[in-house]
């Protein structure tokens, strides 16, 4: 008997898959002469920012991207020496970021002024990426303020307070092939670049997310910022060999036989049509199984897909096994690589009308343990 304790909810992260995916993506970027930034915000899209960062660097990424300065500093403190860009904070003190050699984003003149002030206090030049809003209307500098931002940046650079590393922007619809906004944003990006050049700046450029990295080499510029694809989820219909890195699994806790006519779980939304065997699996919406998947999901158990019946509860789901009797402790795969037609995070997302980003990132929760597999030499 295997005496190892079976975890009730476990995200198995295949670092080899991340390394493989990054090698594929950075290979495409390199064909355009671009470097690759591995985006590890949201604790590495739920996979764990630090192990993902190491695997991505082993796979050929040379930059890391985190949303907040805190995320960037955590990687630095953990010994990561690669370039790290951070892009969104509320009036943070940029000093520690400058001291830790983090590349910082300025989305406004106000933000740049704060970076410059922090650089003066620190006595070191801050590395700055100027972000232009080309149509996403989220963060990024509005066009009307851009000439001023570039002028301020050129001025601060002239007295050594900052290095202007790059200008950058972000696509709204790169995952919708041929969407008219893609060309429109690229055009605004070109115009923003001209303004920066006229201000005397010689910045690098970066614009592409995963979707644009896979489908629009003309927008690779100097650096691509890949997120979702390096976790093995393809945002566009290409046949690139991306391998989902996260497998969400649990195990059978209880098996019982019920008679035809018995109903399962809250609300009794499912009733057995014939005598059947039910397997109880101790994961639920507290572990990242959306309740909206009730009656609309399968798991992989003992070599085949089997339906989850009745409502998804906070801590439990019930699988209809027909006349098959699984062993207590038998592995239950909720989603993973999609081997043999097994469920994927994408399938969950499609079923409930969201994106796989939300599914995998949502696995970052206290009750789900993470286990890393796949050899990665840092
Ligand atoms: C999240 C993010 C990315 C990565 O996007 P994917 O679609 O996951 O590749 C790139 N750039 C910025 C600014 C982001 O916020």
């Amino acid at each position: 008997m295997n005496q190892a304790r079976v975890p009730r909810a476990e995200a198995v992260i295949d670092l080899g898959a991340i390394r493989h995916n990054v090698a594929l993506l950075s290979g495409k970027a390199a064909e355009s002469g671009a470097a690759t930034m591995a985006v590890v915000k949201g604790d590495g899209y739920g996979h764990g920012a630090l192990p993902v960062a190491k695997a991505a660097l082993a796979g050929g990424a040379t930059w890391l991207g985190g949303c907040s300065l805190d995320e960037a500093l955590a990687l630095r403190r953990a010994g990561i020496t690669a370039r790290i860009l951070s892009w969104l904070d509320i009036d943070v003190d940029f000093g520690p970021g400058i001291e830790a050699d983090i590349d910082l984003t300025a989305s406004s003149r106000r933000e740049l002024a704060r970076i410059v002030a922090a650089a003066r206090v620190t006595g070191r030049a801050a590395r700055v990426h100027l972000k232009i809003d080309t149509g996403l209307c989220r963060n990024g500098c509005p066009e009307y303020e851009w000439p001023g931002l570039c002028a301020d940046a050129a001025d601060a650079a002239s007295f050594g307070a900052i290095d202007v590393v790059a200008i950058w922007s972000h696509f709204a619809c790169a995952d919708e092939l041929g969407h008219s906004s893609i060309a429109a944003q690229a055009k605004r990006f070109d115009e923003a670049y001209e303004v920066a050049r006229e201000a005397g700046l010689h910045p690098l450029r970066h614009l592409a997310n995963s979707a644009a990295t896979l489908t629009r080499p003309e927008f690779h510029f100097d650096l691509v910022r890949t997120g979702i694809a390096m976790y093995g989820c393809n945002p566009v219909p290409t046949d690139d060999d991306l391998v989902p890195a996260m497998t969400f699994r649990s195990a059978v806790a209880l098996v019982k036989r019920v008679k035809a006519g018995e109903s399962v779980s809250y609300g009794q939304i499912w009733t057995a049509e014939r005598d059947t065997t039910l397997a109880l699996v101790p994961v639920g919406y507290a572990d990242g199984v959306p309740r909206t998947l009730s009656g609309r999901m399968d798991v992989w158990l003992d070599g085949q897909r089997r339906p989850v019946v009745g409502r998804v509860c906070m801590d439990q789901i019930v699988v209809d096994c027909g006349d098959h009797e699984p062993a207590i402790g038998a592995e239950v795969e909720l989603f993973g690589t999609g081997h043999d037609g097994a469920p994927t995070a994408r399938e969950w997302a499609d079923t409930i009308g969201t994106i796989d980003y939300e599914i995998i990132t949502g696995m970052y929760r206290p009750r789900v343990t993470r286990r890393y597999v796949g050899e990665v030499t840092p």
Side-chain angles (χ1 to χ4, degrees):
M1 271 301 280
N2 178 7
Q3 293 299 309
R5 187 169 173 272
V6 184
R8 54 180 296 158
E10 183 180 60
V12 181
I13 313 297
D14 182 354
L15 296 174
I18 289 175
R19 180 184 176 149
H20 161 88
N21 297 332
V22 173
L24 185 150
L25 295 161
S26 61
K28 282 189 192 286
E31 283 173 27
S32 321
T36 298
M37 175 188 294
V39 178
V40 296
K41 66 191 183 195
D43 201 32
Y45 289 45
H47 296 60
L50 182 60
V52 165
K54 289 180 178 170
L57 294 170
T62 50
W63 286 75
L64 299 169
C67 175
S68 70
L69 190 53
D70 281 345
E71 288 178 328
L73 287 171
L75 291 169
R76 200 53 102 226
R77 276 195 298 272
I80 299 284
T81 56
R83 296 287 285 269
I84 308 174
L85 175 65
S86 86
W87 54 74
L88 181 56
D89 280 292
I90 305 170
D91 261 359
V92 75
D93 173 10
F94 288 104
I98 296 167
E99 268 159 16
D101 243 344
I102 307 296
D103 285 60
L104 304 169
T105 294
S107 280
S108 66
R109 301 179 80 172
R110 181 179 192 280
E111 204 164 28
L112 181 68
R114 289 178 53 84
I115 293 173
V116 170
R120 284 182 156 149
V121 172
T122 312
R124 292 178 62 162
R127 288 205 288 240
V128 179
H129 298 230
L130 305 175
K131 185 166 191 189
I132 173 76
D133 180 0
T134 54
L136 189 56
C137 293
R138 227 172 50 173
N139 77 335
C141 179
E143 267 167 359
Y144 61 80
E145 193 178 318
W146 182 250
L149 178 61
C150 289
D152 291 355
D155 185 46
S158 73
F159 59 82
I162 64 171
D163 286 330
V164 180
V165 177
I167 71 156
W168 69 293
S169 193
H170 193 43
F171 280 123
C173 308
D175 54 349
E176 296 177 46
L177 302 186
H179 194 283
S180 61
S181 68
I182 300 172
Q185 285 194 265
K187 182 164 175 290
R188 285 172 155 185
F189 191 62
D190 285 344
E191 288 161 6
Y193 183 62
E194 285 315 312
V195 171
R197 294 294 299 251
E198 279 159 23
L201 301 172
H202 303 278
L204 301 176
R205 280 172 286 179
H206 52 101
L207 179 59
N209 56 3
S210 293
T213 300
L214 289 167
T215 60
R216 302 301 291 260
E218 71 272 37
F219 301 138
H220 286 180
F221 295 108
D222 301 295
L223 179 64
V224 300
R225 304 185 308 271
T226 60
I228 194 73
M230 63 181 245
Y231 301 96
C233 303
N234 192 336
V236 280
T238 64
D239 56 5
D240 289 293
D241 170 32
L242 297 168
V243 180
M246 181 187 289
T247 296
F248 180 29
R249 60 190 288 270
S250 180
V252 173
L254 184 70
V255 175
K256 66 179 63 167
R257 197 69 192 155
V258 296
K259 295 235 176 293
E262 292 288 348
S263 297
V264 170
S265 189
Y266 293 128
Q268 301 195 322
I269 63 170
W270 183 87
T271 301
E273 286 176 3
R274 57 185 70 83
D275 295 1
T276 193
T277 298
L278 301 177
L280 181 69
V281 182
V283 290
Y285 57 79
D287 309 287
V289 185
R291 185 171 176 278
T292 45
L293 279 176
S294 296
R296 300 196 285 168
M297 67 181 285
D298 293 337
V299 296
W300 187 262
L301 167 58
D302 284 343
Q304 66 180 72
R305 290 177 70 113
R306 300 177 193 276
V308 171
V309 292
R311 287 249 164 82
V312 172
C313 306
M314 187 183 293
D315 316 296
Q316 349 193 346
I317 56 176
V318 175
V319 181
D320 181 16
C321 297
D323 290 330
H324 174 71
E325 187 179 333
I328 301 298
E331 176 176 345
V332 174
E333 186 178 310
L334 288 105
F335 66 74
T337 60
H339 65 88
D340 310 308
T344 59
R346 166 62 71 82
E347 182 182 315
W348 280 22
D350 288 348
T351 304
I352 64 173
T354 184
I355 50 176
D356 40 15
Y357 295 65
E358 185 180 359
I359 301 294
I360 57 175
T361 306
M363 299 313 297
Y364 174 44
R365 29 182 97 227
R367 232 167 59 166
V368 180
T369 56
R370 283 195 194 126
R371 182 161 59 87
Y372 291 95
V373 300
E375 218 42 43
V376 167
T377 328

